[in-house]
Amino acid sequence: MRNKLIVFCLVFFVSIFTLSFSFAGKTKEPSAAGIFYPDDPIELSAMVEGFMALAGSNKQGEEIFTLILPHAGYGFSGETAAYGYSLIKGKNYKTVVIIGTSHNYGFNGISVYEEGIFFTPLGKIEVASDFSRQLLKDKDGIYFEPKAFEKEHSIEVQLPFLQKALNDFKIVPVITGDCSLDTCKNLALLLKGAIGERKDVLVIVSTDLYHGYDYEEALKIDNLTLSCIKNLDAEGLYYGLRDGKLQLCGGFGVVSALILSKELGQNKVKLLKRTNSADVTGNRAKGIWTVGYASLSVSREEMEKVMLNKEERKKLLEIARKSIESYLKSGQKPALKEVDPLLNKDMGVFVTLNKNKELRG
């Protein structure tokens, strides 16, 4: 009887230890609180709300698909980040994909946090495990590497802003290591498949810009980098980062986000706010460590709605008829000289051909 009791106790304690270890492995405690941002919840809440008040609100009501935001200490880049979060405040996003970059653990590929809870001084946020698992299948170079998240701040510093901007959301934490262009494309395609037709998914890429000791160089390189982003030039950005001509510490995540945005027709990139650490401190002397910060949004630019009056519609119909008649008789397109600027716009036109009230083309 005594032996059975000992065995039972051993099994019980081993089970409890295993369960506790398993639960701990799925819980991410903050590692940047008190360093990058306040660890006191009241102070932190007031700071974030203050930054967002300075940034203002989304007066245009745009539906934002992607935000590219800085991840330095709040005293340096918090206000810049707030310009992005002000656009999504109160919106109905249910899943937020946050793509950060590894600063402390070197690895190849991309790590996706599969399931669990992330904590901040403002409370807990659940990982959208069903979404995360869709990113962890069928693609090389994308897997879960827990060490990439242990001391990483690039995702963590975004969380208090999200907690003040949104309600009832889950996150998909992603950390990029050293990535090939194909791996960046793979992540974009997996995200596209996981998002599908959903309109309640937000993608955030956490990145700073220039890192170096020259203020003038910071302005020059950041101009080139931002131009590449605004043109949605994912490959140009990737190879520019590899060549050292462009700088983004979270650059591979931005590359994936640009590919994804183009795939989903999100084609409008807007620079919301830009600064750097030298501007914040006021010390622009050569030899002072300088880091660039920018806040950008990506959304869908809707096609312009054009209303033609009766005379303009009649004129277009005449042009279409003369064009068809000329080409059928001579094989030549007629020379057209149109002065109406609206009719000279490059747009799609649909023409139907009918004969005896029947569609012929």
Side-chain angles (χ1 to χ4, degrees):
M1 180 68 180
R2 183 180 178 185
N3 289 339
K4 288 183 179 179
L5 182 61
I6 292 173
V7 170
F8 173 79
C9 290
L10 285 173
V11 171
F12 176 78
F13 283 114
V14 168
S15 299
I16 292 297
F17 176 79
T18 302
L19 182 62
S20 299
F21 182 80
S22 175
F23 179 78
K26 297 176 182 178
T27 301
K28 175 67 174 67
E29 297 290 342
S31 57
I35 304 171
F36 282 78
Y37 60 88
D39 55 4
D40 177 74
I42 297 175
E43 183 184 355
L44 175 59
S45 180
M47 178 179 283
V48 173
E49 288 176 356
F51 285 143
M52 294 182 70
L54 287 172
S57 60
N58 182 11
K59 298 180 178 64
Q60 297 179 349
E62 289 180 290
E63 292 302 321
I64 304 301
F65 175 67
T66 299
L67 290 172
I68 300 172
L69 304 171
H71 58 227
Y74 281 16
F76 285 95
S77 68
E79 184 180 341
T80 300
Y83 276 80
Y85 286 107
S86 68
L87 297 184
I88 64 165
K89 185 174 176 59
K91 298 289 185 179
N92 192 36
Y93 295 103
K94 295 301 181 185
T95 302
V96 182
V97 180
I98 311 174
I99 308 176
T101 186
S102 182
H103 290 84
N104 302 290
Y105 179 74
F107 71 104
N108 293 320
I110 296 172
S111 178
V112 179
Y113 207 92
E114 186 172 5
E115 61 180 338
I117 301 290
F118 275 55
F119 283 92
T120 80
L122 300 182
K124 65 180 181 179
I125 308 174
E126 185 179 347
V127 174
S129 55
D130 290 344
F131 194 108
S132 290
R133 290 188 183 108
Q134 293 185 64
L135 307 182
L136 289 167
K137 60 182 183 181
D138 301 331
K139 292 292 183 182
D140 293 333
I142 300 175
Y143 53 98
F144 175 44
E145 172 50 74
K147 291 182 180 179
F149 294 91
E150 286 178 0
K151 298 179 181 180
E152 185 51 54
H153 68 274
S154 60
I155 287 177
E156 184 181 327
V157 297
Q158 308 299 341
L159 301 182
F161 276 100
L162 281 170
Q163 287 171 305
K164 299 301 293 185
L166 302 179
N167 296 304
D168 189 26
F169 68 96
K170 297 180 182 180
I171 59 172
V172 179
V174 180
I175 294 287
T176 61
D178 189 13
C179 300
S180 67
L181 182 57
D182 281 343
T183 302
C184 293
K185 290 178 179 177
N186 287 343
L187 176 61
L189 293 177
L190 285 166
L191 285 169
K192 179 184 178 182
I195 293 170
E197 299 298 320
R198 290 179 60 180
K199 305 298 182 185
D200 60 352
V201 178
L202 174 69
V203 177
I204 291 177
V205 186
S206 182
T207 183
D208 294 333
L209 285 81
Y210 172 87
H211 292 60
Y213 292 93
D214 190 323
Y215 177 77
E216 295 300 327
E217 184 181 61
L219 297 179
K220 179 181 177 181
I221 291 180
D222 283 353
N223 281 339
L224 293 173
T225 303
L226 292 170
S227 176
C228 214
I229 294 173
K230 287 189 282 187
N231 288 325
L232 291 167
D233 184 4
E235 290 199 13
L237 180 62
Y238 180 85
Y239 290 114
L241 294 171
R242 285 296 191 195
D243 294 340
K245 296 176 182 177
L246 309 176
Q247 288 193 35
L248 287 168
C249 60
F252 298 136
V254 178
V255 170
S256 291
L258 295 184
I259 295 170
L260 174 64
S261 296
K262 290 180 75 172
E263 286 282 335
L264 296 179
Q266 304 290 338
N267 56 354
K268 180 182 178 181
V269 181
K270 185 176 181 180
L271 178 62
L272 307 170
K273 177 73 172 178
R274 173 189 175 181
T275 187
N276 58 52
S277 58
D279 287 335
V280 173
T281 63
N283 189 348
R284 302 180 180 89
K286 196 175 182 68
I288 299 297
W289 181 249
T290 302
V291 179
Y293 313 122
S295 181
L296 301 102
S297 66
V298 184
S299 58
R300 187 189 303 275
E301 186 170 30
E302 299 295 341
M303 293 297 293
E304 183 180 2
K305 294 181 179 179
V306 178
M307 299 299 292
L308 302 178
N309 60 36
K310 184 177 180 180
E311 288 73 24
E312 288 166 336
R313 294 197 297 270
K314 182 179 179 182
K315 185 66 176 292
L316 278 182
L317 186 59
E318 290 175 357
I319 291 172
R321 285 172 173 166
K322 288 180 179 178
S323 298
I324 294 170
E325 183 179 357
S326 174
Y327 193 82
L328 289 175
K329 288 182 177 179
S330 65
Q332 300 293 322
K333 297 178 182 178
L336 299 174
K337 291 184 179 180
E338 182 53 56
V339 296
D340 188 329
L342 190 57
L343 297 186
N344 277 318
K345 278 183 171 288
D346 290 330
M347 295 185 182
V349 176
F350 188 80
V351 178
T352 59
L353 302 179
N354 294 280
K355 185 176 181 180
N356 296 327
K357 297 183 179 182
E358 292 184 2
L359 182 65
R360 303 295 297 165

